[in-house]
Amino acid sequence: MRDHVRIGLAALCYYSGLIKLVRFWTQCAGPRLIILNYHRAAGNTLRQHLRYLRRHYRMLHLETALEELSSKAASQRDRSTLLAVTFDDGYYDNYSHAFAIAEELKVPITIFLVPGYIENGHHFWWLEGQRIVQCAQVREALIEGKIYHLDHEEERLALLQMIEARLLNATSVAQREEFLNVLHDTLQVPETLTAEERLALPLAWQEVQAMGQSDWISFGAHTMHHPVLAYLEDAAELRFEVEECRKVLEQRLERTIRAFAYPLGKAEHIGDVAPCAVRQAGYRWAVTTLPGVNTAQTDAYMLRRRNVGVNQHWLLVAAETAGVWCFLSQLARRSLAFMRGRRK
């Protein structure tokens, strides 16, 4: 669906009162926790998002919200729906943009960090395919037995698709990094960065520690090097990614890290082994990118999050956070089932 159509539908839902009604129903259903999942923070809309959310939800740090949700006293407190805002990966713009806004509006946010990238300062692997192909300094390249002519758009696209598939499906961090090194050398990718690319770099430790002094920033773990856990062949490497991340963050930040975010976060990316490894590593909670809301009965190692983007219109964020699209989808299915029943 095109963005302007979705914005129009979101506006209709907002100004008709439907979003308010869905929020009310969620509140009446008992204690609930909505967790929002951002990644980037740069742009002009994050402040609007957080102002809206602050007006309509009770915003807490993720761990505080989860503790309250599981508490027997939760239903006796303010009945406003709990909401936690999270940022995955730890981009530099979380510091340059989100940090100041969180302090200005007094809104808590939780950032899930990848210590390996903080330490080496490399570009995140999921952004490298596009950057490598765009910045290549050669017109022709032999990669894995195939010649690509980079001055032909179709072949550039084919190369990009191949790179992204190989990076995504890497069975070890070493395999992924070796492939990236070969690409950089073969395509002669320069190290100079644009201002926009610098915002997409990982945080440095001094920036993490500066944010750690604020009452409005908290941190969680997101593996050491952001592999897709379900694709790792070596169980020992999976355990290292999960356990070492917590150890490094606790040493650097001098605080206990209890929350973990699975890289990519869908069921097929998590697999069957990772939740057990997360539990054994001493984490108390783990978040996915599976959509939905959380109750006290939700599996603590498969918590649901609603994905939102920093550049989305605030009306779209209002609709997504409330769960309006899910509500309308369920309403349509029930109406269809009712109509089919009447025809019989």
Side-chain angles (χ1 to χ4, degrees):
M1 190 184 300
R2 293 183 182 276
D3 282 349
H4 69 273
V5 176
R6 288 178 63 87
I7 293 171
L9 284 175
L12 180 62
C13 293
Y14 181 81
Y15 292 109
S16 69
L18 181 59
I19 289 179
K20 183 177 181 180
L21 180 61
V22 174
R23 285 203 319 265
F24 175 72
W25 281 343
T26 300
Q27 184 175 313
C28 291
R32 296 285 189 276
L33 169 61
I34 297 169
I35 307 173
L36 295 187
N37 177 210
Y38 286 87
H39 288 82
R40 302 296 303 277
N44 300 316
T45 58
L46 183 61
R47 183 178 282 99
Q48 272 187 317
H49 292 188
L50 297 181
R51 280 177 173 166
Y52 169 82
L53 296 170
R54 187 180 62 176
R55 284 199 307 271
H56 298 290
Y57 297 91
R58 189 154 57 91
M59 300 180 70
L60 297 174
H61 282 296
L62 178 62
E63 291 188 7
T64 305
L66 287 165
E67 286 176 338
E68 180 171 324
L69 184 67
S70 62
S71 162
K72 292 181 180 179
S75 61
Q76 300 172 6
R77 302 183 184 182
D78 183 345
R79 293 186 62 189
S80 299
T81 301
L82 291 171
L83 184 138
V85 171
T86 66
F87 284 79
D88 280 4
D89 308 323
Y91 291 90
Y92 175 73
D93 65 14
N94 293 181
Y95 172 77
S96 63
H97 290 66
F99 180 29
I101 295 172
E103 290 210 307
E104 173 197 335
L105 300 181
K106 296 181 171 51
V107 169
I109 64 174
T110 298
I111 303 173
F112 287 101
L113 299 171
V114 187
Y117 277 98
I118 299 175
E119 291 174 350
N120 64 35
H122 293 171
H123 299 87
F124 290 117
W125 64 261
W126 53 93
L127 301 178
E128 274 293 79
Q130 187 76 40
R131 194 181 78 88
I132 285 171
V133 173
Q134 284 182 345
C135 299
Q137 298 297 295
V138 299
R139 296 179 61 186
E140 183 179 296
L142 175 64
I143 300 175
E144 298 191 332
K146 181 175 180 179
I147 296 176
Y148 293 89
H149 300 90
L150 278 75
D151 49 354
H152 295 171
E153 185 61 30
E154 288 184 3
E155 294 196 31
R156 290 172 67 90
L157 179 59
L159 176 59
L160 174 60
Q161 291 173 339
M162 184 276 287
I163 291 172
E164 291 184 338
R166 282 289 308 275
L167 294 174
L168 174 66
N169 294 289
T171 57
S172 72
V173 172
Q175 179 193 79
R176 186 186 76 200
E177 295 306 308
E178 181 181 357
F179 180 59
L180 282 171
N181 288 336
V182 169
L183 289 174
H184 277 262
D185 290 343
T186 303
L187 298 175
Q188 299 177 21
V189 180
E191 292 303 316
T192 55
L193 301 176
T194 66
E196 184 176 351
E197 287 173 335
R198 281 193 288 273
L199 290 174
L201 285 172
L203 292 160
W205 283 120
Q206 60 264 31
E207 293 147 5
V208 173
Q209 288 163 349
M211 289 192 288
Q213 301 301 311
S214 169
D215 292 336
W216 304 105
I217 309 294
S218 59
F219 298 106
H222 200 32
T223 72
M224 276 299 293
H225 303 98
H226 205 288
V228 182
L229 295 176
Y231 300 167
L232 293 179
E233 289 184 338
D234 187 348
E237 183 174 15
L238 188 154
R239 290 193 299 272
F240 171 83
E241 287 290 327
V242 172
E243 294 172 3
E244 189 67 13
C245 181
R246 184 170 187 238
K247 290 178 184 176
V248 171
L249 289 176
E250 290 186 340
Q251 288 174 351
R252 285 284 190 166
L253 302 175
E254 298 182 340
R255 66 182 70 181
T256 302
I257 300 295
R258 299 185 296 169
F260 180 87
Y262 300 103
L264 277 67
K266 300 296 185 188
E268 63 267 27
H269 305 131
I270 297 169
D272 299 326
V273 178
C276 182
V278 171
R279 186 183 296 107
Q280 290 175 348
Y283 297 98
R284 186 172 172 186
W285 303 284
V287 297
T288 69
T289 57
L290 299 169
V293 298
N294 302 283
T295 70
Q297 286 71 48
T298 304
D299 184 342
Y301 295 94
M302 290 294 288
L303 294 165
R304 305 297 179 115
R305 288 192 290 178
R306 287 180 169 156
N307 295 309
V308 290
V310 71
N311 291 320
Q312 286 182 313
H313 195 284
W314 72 269
L315 284 166
L316 288 175
V317 173
E320 184 64 45
T321 304
V324 164
W325 307 133
C326 181
F327 169 81
L328 291 175
S329 177
Q330 290 177 351
L331 184 63
R333 286 197 298 270
R334 290 176 183 176
S335 298
L336 184 60
F338 174 76
M339 295 300 294
R340 284 175 176 169
R342 291 200 61 177
R343 291 192 187 120
K344 292 181 180 179

